[in-house]
Coordinates of all heavy atoms in Angstrom, one line a residue:
M19 N 3.5 -26.5 24.9 CA 3.6 -26.6 23.3 C 2.2 -26.0 22.8 O 2.4 -25.3 21.8 CB 3.9 -28.0 23.0 CG 3.8 -28.2 21.5 SD 5.2 -29.4 21.1 CE 4.9 -29.6 19.4
F20 N 1.1 -26.4 23.3 CA -0.1 -25.9 22.8 C -0.1 -24.4 22.8 O -0.7 -23.7 21.9 CB -1.3 -26.5 23.6 CG -2.6 -26.0 23.1 CD1 -3.1 -26.3 21.9 CD2 -3.3 -25.0 23.9 CE1 -4.4 -25.8 21.4 CE2 -4.5 -24.6 23.4 CZ -5.1 -24.9 22.2
N21 N 0.3 -23.9 23.9 CA 0.4 -22.4 24.1 C 1.2 -21.7 22.9 O 0.8 -20.7 22.3 CB 1.0 -22.0 25.4 CG 0.8 -20.5 25.7 OD1 -0.1 -19.8 25.3 ND2 1.6 -19.9 26.5
K22 N 2.4 -22.3 22.6 CA 3.2 -21.8 21.4 C 2.4 -21.9 20.2 O 2.4 -21.0 19.3 CB 4.5 -22.5 21.4 CG 5.4 -22.2 22.6 CD 6.7 -22.8 22.4 CE 7.6 -22.6 23.7 NZ 8.8 -23.4 23.7
M23 N 1.7 -22.9 19.9 CA 1.0 -23.2 18.7 C -0.1 -22.1 18.6 O -0.4 -21.6 17.6 CB 0.4 -24.5 18.7 CG 1.4 -25.7 18.6 SD 2.3 -25.6 17.0 CE 1.1 -26.3 15.9
K24 N -0.8 -21.9 19.7 CA -1.8 -20.8 19.8 C -1.2 -19.5 19.4 O -1.8 -18.7 18.7 CB -2.6 -20.8 21.0 CG -3.8 -19.8 21.1 CD -4.4 -19.8 22.4 CE -5.5 -18.8 22.4 NZ -5.6 -17.7 21.6
Q25 N 0.0 -19.1 20.0 CA 0.6 -17.9 19.8 C 0.9 -17.7 18.2 O 0.7 -16.7 17.6 CB 1.8 -17.8 20.6 CG 1.6 -17.5 22.0 CD 2.9 -17.3 22.7 OE1 3.9 -17.9 22.6 NE2 2.7 -16.4 23.9
L26 N 1.4 -18.8 17.7 CA 1.7 -18.8 16.2 C 0.5 -18.5 15.4 O 0.5 -17.7 14.5 CB 2.4 -20.1 15.8 CG 3.9 -20.2 16.3 CD1 4.4 -21.7 15.9 CD2 4.8 -19.1 15.5
Y27 N -0.6 -19.3 15.6 CA -1.9 -19.2 15.0 C -2.4 -17.7 15.3 O -2.8 -17.1 14.2 CB -3.0 -20.1 15.6 CG -4.3 -19.8 15.0 CD1 -4.7 -20.3 13.8 CD2 -5.3 -19.2 15.8 CE1 -6.0 -20.0 13.3 CE2 -6.5 -18.8 15.3 CZ -6.9 -19.2 14.1 OH -8.1 -19.0 13.5
D28 N -2.3 -17.1 16.4 CA -2.7 -15.8 16.6 C -1.9 -14.8 15.7 O -2.4 -13.7 15.2 CB -2.6 -15.4 18.1 CG -3.7 -16.0 18.9 OD1 -4.6 -16.5 18.4 OD2 -3.5 -16.1 20.2
M29 N -0.6 -15.1 15.7 CA 0.3 -14.2 14.9 C -0.1 -14.2 13.4 O 0.0 -13.1 12.7 CB 1.8 -14.6 15.1 CG 2.4 -14.2 16.4 SD 4.2 -14.7 16.6 CE 5.0 -14.0 15.2
Q30 N -0.4 -15.4 13.0 CA -0.7 -15.6 11.5 C -2.0 -14.7 11.2 O -2.1 -14.0 10.3 CB -1.0 -17.0 11.2 CG 0.3 -17.8 11.0 CD 0.0 -19.3 10.7 OE1 -1.0 -19.7 11.1 NE2 1.0 -19.8 9.9
K31 N -3.0 -14.9 12.2 CA -4.2 -14.2 12.0 C -4.0 -12.6 12.1 O -4.5 -12.0 11.2 CB -5.2 -14.5 13.1 CG -6.6 -14.0 13.1 CD -7.5 -14.4 14.1 CE -8.9 -13.8 14.1 NZ -9.1 -12.4 13.7
Q32 N -3.1 -12.2 12.9 CA -2.9 -10.6 13.0 C -2.2 -10.3 11.8 O -2.3 -9.2 11.3 CB -2.2 -10.4 14.3 CG -3.1 -10.5 15.6 CD -2.5 -10.0 16.8 OE1 -1.2 -10.1 16.9 NE2 -3.3 -9.5 17.7
A33 N -1.3 -11.1 11.1 CA -0.5 -10.7 10.1 C -1.5 -10.6 8.9 O -1.5 -9.7 8.0 CB 0.5 -11.8 9.6
K34 N -2.5 -11.5 8.8 CA -3.6 -11.4 7.7 C -4.4 -10.2 7.9 O -4.7 -9.5 7.0 CB -4.4 -12.6 7.7 CG -3.7 -13.9 7.2 CD -4.6 -15.1 7.1 CE -3.8 -16.4 6.6 NZ -4.6 -17.5 6.7
D35 N -4.7 -9.9 9.2 CA -5.5 -8.7 9.4 C -4.8 -7.4 9.0 O -5.3 -6.4 8.5 CB -5.9 -8.6 10.9 CG -7.0 -9.6 11.3 OD1 -7.6 -10.3 10.4 OD2 -7.1 -9.9 12.4
M36 N -3.4 -7.5 9.3 CA -2.6 -6.3 9.0 C -2.5 -6.1 7.5 O -2.6 -5.0 7.0 CB -1.1 -6.6 9.6 CG -0.3 -5.3 9.3 SD 1.5 -5.6 10.0 CE 1.2 -6.4 11.5
Q37 N -2.4 -7.2 6.7 CA -2.3 -7.2 5.3 C -3.6 -6.6 4.8 O -3.6 -5.7 3.9 CB -2.1 -8.6 4.7 CG -2.0 -8.6 3.2 CD -1.8 -9.9 2.6 OE1 -1.7 -11.0 3.4 NE2 -1.5 -10.0 1.4
K38 N -4.8 -7.1 5.3 CA -6.1 -6.5 4.8 C -6.2 -5.0 5.2 O -6.8 -4.2 4.3 CB -7.2 -7.3 5.5 CG -7.4 -8.7 4.9 CD -8.5 -9.4 5.6 CE -8.6 -10.8 5.2 NZ -9.7 -11.5 5.9
S39 N -5.7 -4.7 6.2 CA -5.7 -3.2 6.6 C -4.9 -2.4 5.7 O -5.3 -1.2 5.3 CB -5.3 -3.2 8.1 OG -5.3 -1.7 8.5
V40 N -3.7 -2.8 5.4 CA -2.8 -2.2 4.6 C -3.4 -2.1 3.2 O -3.3 -1.0 2.5 CB -1.4 -2.8 4.5 CG1 -0.6 -2.3 3.4 CG2 -0.7 -2.6 5.8
E41 N -4.1 -3.1 2.6 CA -4.7 -3.1 1.3 C -5.8 -2.1 1.3 O -6.1 -1.6 0.1 CB -5.1 -4.5 1.0 CG -4.1 -5.4 0.6 CD -4.5 -6.9 0.3 OE1 -5.7 -7.1 0.5 OE2 -3.6 -7.6 0.0
K42 N -6.4 -1.8 2.3 CA -7.5 -0.8 2.4 C -6.9 0.8 2.3 O -7.7 1.6 2.0 CB -8.3 -0.9 3.6 CG -9.1 -2.2 3.6 CD -10.0 -2.3 4.9 CE -10.7 -3.6 4.9 NZ -11.4 -3.7 6.2
L43 N -5.7 0.9 2.5 CA -5.2 2.3 2.4 C -5.2 2.7 1.0 O -5.0 2.1 0.1 CB -3.8 2.3 2.9 CG -3.5 1.9 4.4 CD1 -1.9 1.9 4.7 CD2 -4.1 3.1 5.3
R44 N -5.4 4.1 0.7 CA -5.5 4.5 -0.6 C -4.6 5.9 -0.7 O -4.6 6.7 0.2 CB -6.9 4.9 -0.9 CG -7.9 3.8 -1.0 CD -7.6 2.9 -2.2 NE -8.5 1.7 -2.3 CZ -8.3 0.6 -1.5 NH1 -7.3 0.5 -0.9 NH2 -9.1 -0.5 -1.8
V45 N -3.9 5.9 -1.7 CA -3.1 7.1 -2.0 C -3.4 7.6 -3.4 O -3.5 6.8 -4.4 CB -1.6 6.8 -2.0 CG1 -0.8 7.9 -2.5 CG2 -1.1 6.3 -0.6
E46 N -3.9 8.9 -3.5 CA -4.2 9.4 -4.8 C -3.1 10.5 -5.1 O -2.9 11.5 -4.3 CB -5.5 10.0 -4.8 CG -6.0 10.5 -6.1 CD -7.5 11.0 -6.0 OE1 -8.3 10.4 -5.5 OE2 -7.7 12.1 -6.7
K47 N -2.6 10.5 -6.3 CA -1.6 11.5 -6.7 C -2.2 12.0 -8.1 O -2.6 11.3 -8.9 CB -0.3 10.9 -6.9 CG 0.5 10.6 -5.6 CD 0.8 11.8 -4.8 CE 1.6 11.5 -3.5 NZ 1.9 12.6 -2.8
S48 N -2.0 13.4 -8.3 CA -2.4 14.0 -9.4 C -1.4 14.9 -10.1 O -0.6 15.4 -9.2 CB -3.7 14.8 -9.3 OG -4.8 14.0 -8.9
A49 N -1.4 15.3 -11.3 CA -0.5 16.1 -12.0 C -1.2 16.9 -13.1 O -2.3 16.5 -13.4 CB 0.7 15.4 -12.4
E50 N -0.6 18.0 -13.5 CA -1.2 18.8 -14.5 C -2.6 19.2 -14.3 O -3.5 19.1 -15.1 CB -1.1 18.0 -15.9 CG 0.2 17.7 -16.4 CD 1.1 19.0 -16.5 OE1 0.7 19.9 -17.2 OE2 2.1 19.0 -15.8
G51 N -2.9 19.7 -13.0 CA -4.2 20.1 -12.6 C -5.2 19.1 -12.6 O -6.4 19.4 -12.9
G52 N -4.9 17.9 -12.3 CA -5.8 16.9 -12.1 C -6.0 16.1 -13.5 O -6.9 15.2 -13.6
K53 N -5.2 16.5 -14.6 CA -5.4 15.8 -15.8 C -4.9 14.4 -15.9 O -5.2 13.5 -16.6 CB -4.8 16.6 -17.0 CG -5.4 17.9 -17.3 CD -4.8 18.6 -18.5 CE -5.7 19.8 -18.8 NZ -5.1 20.5 -20.0
V54 N -4.0 14.1 -15.0 CA -3.5 12.7 -14.8 C -3.5 12.4 -13.3 O -3.1 13.1 -12.5 CB -1.9 12.7 -15.2 CG1 -1.4 11.2 -15.1 CG2 -1.8 13.1 -16.7
T55 N -4.3 11.3 -13.0 CA -4.5 10.9 -11.6 C -4.2 9.3 -11.5 O -4.6 8.6 -12.3 CB -5.9 11.2 -11.1 OG1 -6.1 12.6 -11.4 CG2 -6.1 10.8 -9.7
V56 N -3.5 9.1 -10.4 CA -3.2 7.7 -10.2 C -3.7 7.4 -8.7 O -3.4 8.2 -7.8 CB -1.6 7.3 -10.1 CG1 -1.4 6.0 -9.6 CG2 -1.1 7.6 -11.6
V57 N -4.3 6.2 -8.5 CA -4.8 5.8 -7.1 C -4.2 4.5 -6.9 O -4.3 3.5 -7.8 CB -6.3 5.7 -7.0 CG1 -6.7 5.2 -5.7 CG2 -7.0 7.0 -7.3
M58 N -3.4 4.4 -5.7 CA -2.7 3.1 -5.4 C -3.1 2.7 -4.0 O -3.3 3.7 -3.2 CB -1.2 3.4 -5.5 CG -0.3 2.3 -5.2 SD 1.5 2.6 -5.4 CE 1.7 2.7 -7.1
N59 N -3.1 1.4 -3.8 CA -3.5 0.9 -2.4 C -2.2 0.8 -1.7 O -1.0 0.8 -2.2 CB -4.4 -0.2 -2.4 CG -3.8 -1.5 -2.9 OD1 -2.5 -1.7 -3.0 ND2 -4.6 -2.4 -3.3
G60 N -2.2 0.4 -0.4 CA -1.1 0.2 0.5 C -0.3 -1.0 0.2 O 0.8 -1.2 0.6
A61 N -0.9 -2.0 -0.7 CA -0.1 -3.1 -1.2 C 0.6 -2.8 -2.5 O 1.0 -3.7 -3.2 CB -1.1 -4.3 -1.3
F62 N 0.6 -1.5 -2.9 CA 1.3 -1.0 -4.1 C 0.7 -1.5 -5.3 O 1.4 -1.6 -6.4 CB 2.9 -1.4 -4.1 CG 3.6 -0.9 -2.9 CD1 3.8 -1.9 -1.8 CD2 4.0 0.3 -2.8 CE1 4.5 -1.5 -0.6 CE2 4.6 0.8 -1.6 CZ 5.0 -0.1 -0.5
K63 N -0.5 -1.7 -5.4 CA -1.3 -2.0 -6.6 C -2.0 -0.8 -7.1 O -2.7 -0.1 -6.3 CB -2.4 -3.1 -6.4 CG -1.7 -4.4 -6.0 CD -2.7 -5.5 -5.9 CE -2.0 -6.9 -5.4 NZ -3.0 -7.9 -5.2
V64 N -1.9 -0.4 -8.3 CA -2.5 0.7 -9.0 C -3.9 0.3 -9.2 O -4.3 -0.8 -9.8 CB -1.9 1.2 -10.3 CG1 -2.7 2.2 -11.0 CG2 -0.4 1.5 -10.1
E65 N -4.8 1.0 -8.5 CA -6.3 0.8 -8.6 C -6.9 1.5 -9.7 O -8.0 1.0 -10.2 CB -6.9 1.0 -7.2 CG -6.5 0.1 -6.1 CD -7.3 0.1 -4.9 OE1 -8.0 1.1 -4.7 OE2 -7.2 -0.8 -4.1
S66 N -6.5 2.6 -9.9 CA -7.0 3.4 -11.2 C -6.0 4.4 -11.6 O -5.1 4.8 -11.0 CB -8.3 4.1 -10.8 OG -8.0 5.2 -9.8
L67 N -6.2 4.7 -12.9 CA -5.4 5.6 -13.6 C -6.3 6.4 -14.5 O -7.1 5.8 -15.3 CB -4.4 4.9 -14.4 CG -3.4 5.6 -15.4 CD1 -2.6 6.6 -14.5 CD2 -2.6 4.7 -16.2
S68 N -6.3 7.8 -14.5 CA -7.2 8.6 -15.3 C -6.2 9.6 -16.1 O -5.3 10.2 -15.4 CB -8.0 9.3 -14.4 OG -8.8 10.3 -15.1
I69 N -6.4 9.7 -17.4 CA -5.7 10.6 -18.2 C -6.7 11.4 -19.1 O -7.6 10.9 -19.7 CB -4.8 9.8 -19.2 CG1 -3.8 9.0 -18.3 CG2 -3.9 10.7 -20.1 CD1 -3.0 7.8 -19.2
D70 N -6.5 12.6 -19.0 CA -7.3 13.6 -19.8 C -7.1 13.3 -21.3 O -5.9 13.3 -21.6 CB -7.1 15.0 -19.4 CG -8.0 15.9 -20.0 OD1 -7.8 16.4 -21.2 OD2 -9.1 16.3 -19.3
P71 N -8.1 13.3 -22.1 CA -7.9 12.9 -23.5 C -7.0 14.0 -24.2 O -6.3 13.6 -25.2 CB -9.3 13.1 -24.1 CG -10.2 12.8 -22.9 CD -9.6 13.3 -21.7
S72 N -6.9 15.3 -23.7 CA -6.0 16.2 -24.3 C -4.5 15.9 -24.2 O -3.8 16.4 -25.0 CB -6.2 17.5 -23.6 OG -5.7 17.6 -22.2
L73 N -4.2 14.9 -23.3 CA -2.8 14.5 -23.1 C -2.5 13.2 -24.0 O -1.4 12.8 -23.9 CB -2.5 14.2 -21.7 CG -2.6 15.4 -20.7 CD1 -2.3 15.0 -19.3 CD2 -1.6 16.5 -21.2
L74 N -3.5 12.7 -24.7 CA -3.3 11.4 -25.5 C -2.8 11.8 -26.9 O -2.9 10.8 -27.7 CB -4.6 10.6 -25.4 CG -4.9 10.1 -24.1 CD1 -6.3 9.4 -24.1 CD2 -4.0 9.3 -23.5
E75 N -2.4 13.0 -27.3 CA -1.8 13.3 -28.5 C -0.4 12.6 -28.7 O 0.4 12.7 -27.8 CB -1.8 14.7 -28.7 CG -3.2 15.4 -28.7 CD -3.1 17.0 -28.8 OE1 -2.1 17.4 -29.1 OE2 -4.1 17.6 -28.3
P76 N -0.1 12.2 -29.8 CA 1.3 11.6 -30.1 C 2.5 12.5 -29.7 O 3.5 12.2 -29.2 CB 1.3 11.3 -31.6 CG -0.2 11.1 -31.9 CD -0.9 12.0 -31.0
S77 N 2.2 13.8 -29.9 CA 3.2 14.8 -29.6 C 3.5 14.9 -28.1 O 4.5 15.4 -27.7 CB 3.0 16.2 -30.2 OG 1.8 16.7 -29.6
K78 N 2.6 14.5 -27.3 CA 2.7 14.6 -25.8 C 3.1 13.2 -25.2 O 3.1 13.2 -24.0 CB 1.4 15.1 -25.2 CG 1.1 16.5 -25.7 CD -0.1 17.0 -25.0 CE -0.5 18.4 -25.5 NZ -1.6 19.0 -25.0
K79 N 3.3 12.2 -26.0 CA 3.8 10.9 -25.5 C 4.9 11.0 -24.5 O 4.7 10.4 -23.3 CB 4.1 10.1 -26.6 CG 4.5 8.6 -26.3 CD 4.9 7.7 -27.5 CE 5.2 6.4 -27.1 NZ 6.4 6.1 -26.3
A80 N 5.9 11.5 -24.7 CA 7.1 11.5 -23.8 C 6.7 12.3 -22.5 O 7.2 11.8 -21.4 CB 8.4 12.2 -24.5
F81 N 6.1 13.3 -22.7 CA 5.6 14.1 -21.4 C 4.7 13.2 -20.5 O 4.9 13.2 -19.3 CB 4.9 15.3 -21.9 CG 4.2 16.1 -20.8 CD1 4.9 16.8 -19.8 CD2 2.9 15.9 -20.5 CE1 4.4 17.5 -18.7 CE2 2.3 16.5 -19.4 CZ 3.0 17.3 -18.5
L82 N 3.8 12.5 -21.2 CA 2.7 11.7 -20.5 C 3.5 10.6 -19.7 O 3.3 10.3 -18.6 CB 1.8 11.3 -21.4 CG 0.7 10.3 -20.8 CD1 0.0 11.0 -19.7 CD2 -0.3 9.9 -21.8
E83 N 4.5 10.0 -20.4 CA 5.2 8.9 -19.8 C 6.0 9.3 -18.6 O 6.1 8.6 -17.6 CB 6.2 8.3 -20.9 CG 5.5 7.4 -22.0 CD 6.4 7.0 -23.1 OE1 7.5 7.6 -23.2 OE2 6.0 6.1 -23.8
K84 N 6.6 10.4 -18.7 CA 7.4 10.9 -17.6 C 6.5 11.3 -16.4 O 6.9 11.0 -15.3 CB 8.2 12.2 -18.2 CG 9.1 12.8 -17.1 CD 9.9 14.0 -17.6 CE 10.8 14.6 -16.5 NZ 11.6 15.7 -16.9
T85 N 5.4 11.9 -16.7 CA 4.5 12.3 -15.8 C 3.9 11.1 -15.0 O 3.9 11.0 -13.8 CB 3.3 13.1 -16.3 OG1 3.7 14.3 -16.9 CG2 2.2 13.4 -15.2
L86 N 3.6 10.0 -15.8 CA 3.2 8.7 -15.1 C 4.1 8.1 -14.2 O 3.9 7.6 -13.2 CB 2.7 7.7 -16.2 CG 1.3 8.1 -16.9 CD1 1.1 7.2 -18.1 CD2 0.3 7.9 -15.9
V87 N 5.4 8.1 -14.7 CA 6.6 7.5 -14.0 C 6.6 8.2 -12.6 O 6.8 7.7 -11.5 CB 7.8 7.5 -14.7 CG1 9.0 7.3 -13.7 CG2 7.8 6.6 -15.8
L88 N 6.6 9.6 -12.7 CA 6.7 10.4 -11.4 C 5.5 10.2 -10.5 O 5.7 10.0 -9.3 CB 6.8 11.9 -11.7 CG 8.2 12.2 -12.4 CD1 8.1 13.7 -12.9 CD2 9.4 12.0 -11.5
L89 N 4.4 10.2 -11.1 CA 3.1 10.0 -10.1 C 3.1 8.6 -9.5 O 2.8 8.5 -8.3 CB 1.9 10.2 -11.0 CG 1.4 11.6 -11.3 CD1 0.1 11.5 -12.2 CD2 1.1 12.3 -10.0
I90 N 3.4 7.6 -10.2 CA 3.4 6.3 -9.7 C 4.5 6.0 -8.7 O 4.3 5.4 -7.7 CB 3.6 5.1 -10.8 CG1 2.3 5.1 -11.7 CG2 3.8 3.8 -10.3 CD1 2.4 4.5 -12.9
S91 N 5.6 6.6 -8.9 CA 6.7 6.5 -7.9 C 6.4 7.4 -6.7 O 6.7 6.8 -5.5 CB 8.1 7.2 -8.6 OG 8.5 6.4 -9.6
D92 N 5.8 8.6 -6.8 CA 5.3 9.3 -5.6 C 4.2 8.5 -4.8 O 4.3 8.5 -3.6 CB 4.8 10.6 -6.0 CG 5.9 11.7 -6.5 OD1 7.0 11.4 -6.2 OD2 5.5 12.7 -6.9
A93 N 3.3 8.0 -5.6 CA 2.2 7.2 -5.0 C 2.8 6.0 -4.2 O 2.4 5.6 -3.1 CB 1.3 6.7 -5.9
A94 N 3.8 5.3 -4.8 CA 4.3 4.1 -4.1 C 5.2 4.6 -2.9 O 5.0 3.9 -1.9 CB 5.3 3.4 -5.1
E95 N 5.9 5.7 -3.0 CA 6.5 6.1 -1.7 C 5.6 6.5 -0.7 O 5.8 6.0 0.5 CB 7.4 7.5 -2.1 CG 8.2 7.8 -1.0 CD 9.1 9.1 -1.4 OE1 9.5 9.2 -2.7 OE2 9.6 9.8 -0.5
E96 N 4.6 7.1 -1.0 CA 3.5 7.5 0.1 C 2.9 6.2 0.6 O 2.6 6.2 1.8 CB 2.6 8.6 -0.4 CG 1.6 9.1 0.7 CD 0.8 10.2 0.2 OE1 1.2 11.0 -0.7 OE2 -0.3 10.4 0.8
A97 N 2.5 5.4 -0.3 CA 1.8 4.1 0.2 C 2.8 3.4 1.0 O 2.3 2.8 2.1 CB 1.5 3.3 -1.1
G98 N 4.1 3.3 0.7 CA 5.0 2.7 1.7 C 5.1 3.3 3.0 O 5.1 2.5 4.0
K99 N 5.1 4.5 3.1 CA 5.1 5.2 4.3 C 3.8 5.0 5.2 O 3.9 4.7 6.3 CB 5.3 6.7 4.2 CG 6.7 7.1 3.7 CD 6.8 8.6 3.5 CE 8.2 9.0 3.0 NZ 8.2 10.4 2.6
L100 N 2.7 5.1 4.5 CA 1.4 4.8 5.1 C 1.3 3.3 5.6 O 1.0 3.1 6.8 CB 0.3 5.2 4.3 CG 0.0 6.6 4.0 CD1 -1.1 6.8 3.0 CD2 -0.3 7.4 5.3
S101 N 1.8 2.5 4.8 CA 1.8 1.1 5.2 C 2.6 0.7 6.4 O 2.3 0.0 7.3 CB 2.2 0.1 4.0 OG 1.3 0.3 2.9
A102 N 3.7 1.4 6.4 CA 4.8 1.1 7.5 C 4.1 1.7 8.9 O 4.2 1.0 9.9 CB 6.0 1.8 7.2
Q103 N 3.5 2.9 8.7 CA 2.9 3.5 9.9 C 1.7 2.6 10.4 O 1.6 2.3 11.6 CB 2.3 4.8 9.5 CG 3.4 5.9 9.4 CD 2.8 7.2 8.9 OE1 1.6 7.3 8.5 NE2 3.7 8.2 8.7
E104 N 0.9 2.0 9.5 CA -0.2 1.2 9.8 C 0.3 -0.1 10.5 O -0.2 -0.6 11.5 CB -1.1 0.8 8.6 CG -2.2 0.0 8.8 CD -3.4 0.7 9.5 OE1 -3.4 2.0 9.4 OE2 -4.4 0.1 10.0
A105 N 1.3 -0.6 9.9 CA 1.9 -1.9 10.4 C 2.5 -1.7 11.8 O 2.3 -2.5 12.8 CB 3.0 -2.5 9.5
M106 N 3.2 -0.6 12.0 CA 3.8 -0.2 13.3 C 2.7 -0.1 14.3 O 2.8 -0.6 15.5 CB 4.6 0.9 13.2 CG 5.9 0.7 12.4 SD 7.1 -0.5 13.1 CE 7.6 0.2 14.5
A107 N 1.6 0.6 14.0 CA 0.6 0.8 14.9 C -0.1 -0.5 15.3 O -0.4 -0.8 16.5 CB -0.5 1.7 14.3
M108 N -0.3 -1.5 14.4 CA -0.9 -2.7 14.7 C 0.1 -3.6 15.5 O -0.3 -4.4 16.3 CB -1.3 -3.4 13.3 CG -2.4 -2.8 12.7 SD -3.1 -3.6 11.3 CE -4.0 -4.9 12.1
M109 N 1.4 -3.6 15.2 CA 2.3 -4.4 15.8 C 2.5 -3.9 17.3 O 2.9 -4.8 18.2 CB 3.8 -4.4 15.2 CG 3.7 -5.1 13.8 SD 5.2 -4.9 12.9 CE 6.3 -6.1 13.8
K110 N 2.3 -2.7 17.7 CA 2.3 -2.3 19.1 C 1.4 -3.0 19.9 O 1.6 -3.2 21.0 CB 2.1 -0.8 19.2 CG 3.4 0.1 18.7 CD 2.9 1.6 18.9 CE 4.1 2.4 18.4 NZ 3.8 3.8 18.6
N111 N 0.2 -3.4 19.3 CA -0.8 -4.1 20.0 C -0.4 -5.6 20.2 O -1.1 -6.3 20.9 CB -2.1 -4.0 19.3 CG -2.6 -2.6 19.4 OD1 -2.3 -1.8 20.3 ND2 -3.3 -2.2 18.3
M112 N 0.5 -6.1 19.5 CA 0.9 -7.5 19.5 C 1.8 -7.7 20.8 O 2.8 -7.0 21.0 CB 1.7 -8.0 18.3 CG 0.7 -8.1 17.1 SD 1.8 -8.6 15.7 CE 0.6 -8.3 14.4
N113 N 1.5 -8.7 21.6 CA 2.3 -9.1 22.7 C 2.6 -10.5 22.7 O 2.1 -11.2 23.7 CB 1.6 -8.6 24.0 CG 2.4 -8.7 25.2 OD1 3.7 -8.7 25.1 ND2 1.8 -8.8 26.3
F114 N 3.5 -11.0 21.9 CA 4.0 -12.3 21.8 C 5.3 -12.5 22.5 O 6.2 -11.7 22.3 CB 4.0 -12.8 20.3 CG 2.6 -12.8 19.7 CD1 2.3 -11.8 18.8 CD2 1.7 -13.6 20.1 CE1 1.0 -11.8 18.1 CE2 0.3 -13.6 19.5 CZ 0.1 -12.7 18.5
K115 N 5.4 -13.7 23.1 CA 6.7 -14.0 23.7 C 7.1 -15.4 23.3 O 6.9 -16.4 24.1 CB 6.5 -14.0 25.3 CG 6.1 -12.5 25.8 CD 5.9 -12.5 27.3 CE 5.5 -11.2 27.7 NZ 4.8 -11.1 28.9
L116 N 7.7 -15.4 22.1 CA 8.2 -16.7 21.6 C 9.7 -16.7 21.8 O 10.4 -15.7 21.5 CB 7.8 -16.8 20.0 CG 6.3 -16.9 19.8 CD1 6.2 -16.9 18.2 CD2 5.7 -18.2 20.4
P117 N 10.2 -17.8 22.1 CA 11.7 -17.9 22.2 C 12.4 -17.6 20.9 O 11.9 -18.0 19.9 CB 11.9 -19.3 22.7 CG 10.7 -19.9 23.0 CD 9.5 -19.0 22.5
G118 N 13.5 -16.9 21.0 CA 14.2 -16.6 19.8 C 13.6 -15.5 19.0 O 14.3 -15.0 17.9
M119 N 12.6 -14.8 19.4 CA 12.1 -13.6 18.7 C 12.2 -12.4 19.5 O 12.3 -12.4 20.6 CB 10.6 -13.9 18.4 CG 10.4 -15.0 17.3 SD 8.8 -15.2 16.8 CE 8.8 -14.1 15.4

């Protein structure tokens, strides 16, 4: 029983390590020659957003909104792929033998 508890503790620790590792991943996406840039981490949190002042005119509002939606979606898709790759790489190192798993 102690051995199973230790395995569960080790799994929790490795899950936390995996989460920290994924949060360190960074994806940067740009559009309009770098005038709009989004940086997202592997936990899908937008860490920074940069918009060139020339795109902040009222007449460019719809264009800017569409650009941001596309950039954030692209960044999220890439972050998801990178996070999955990172998680798979870390899970290969896990060697747990719990009943029912």
Side-chain angles (χ1 to χ4, degrees):
M19 176 141 173
F20 177 74
N21 190 31
K22 288 180 186 178
M23 294 294 285
K24 183 179 179 333
Q25 285 180 328
L26 286 173
Y27 172 78
D28 289 344
M29 283 177 61
Q30 286 178 329
K31 184 178 180 318
Q32 287 186 335
K34 286 180 184 179
D35 291 344
M36 188 182 313
Q37 182 178 3
K38 287 178 185 178
S39 178
V40 164
E41 288 175 356
K42 290 179 184 177
L43 295 173
R44 298 289 177 272
V45 173
E46 182 175 322
K47 293 288 183 175
S48 295
E50 295 304 305
K53 289 185 176 183
V54 182
T55 303
V56 173
V57 177
M58 181 179 285
N59 71 18
F62 303 102
K63 292 182 182 176
V64 175
E65 294 191 341
S66 69
L67 175 64
S68 174
I69 302 170
D70 188 275
S72 67
L73 297 176
L74 297 176
E75 298 174 18
S77 63
K78 296 182 180 178
K79 180 183 183 291
F81 169 78
L82 180 58
E83 289 171 345
K84 185 178 179 180
T85 300
L86 286 171
V87 167
L88 292 173
L89 279 179
I90 292 169
S91 295
D92 286 349
E95 184 177 336
E96 187 172 332
K99 289 177 183 177
L100 289 174
S101 295
Q103 289 172 354
E104 182 77 15
M106 291 300 290
M108 291 184 78
M109 289 175 78
K110 284 182 182 180
N111 296 329
M112 294 181 189
N113 188 21
F114 295 108
K115 296 174 184 161
L116 295 176
M119 293 186 89

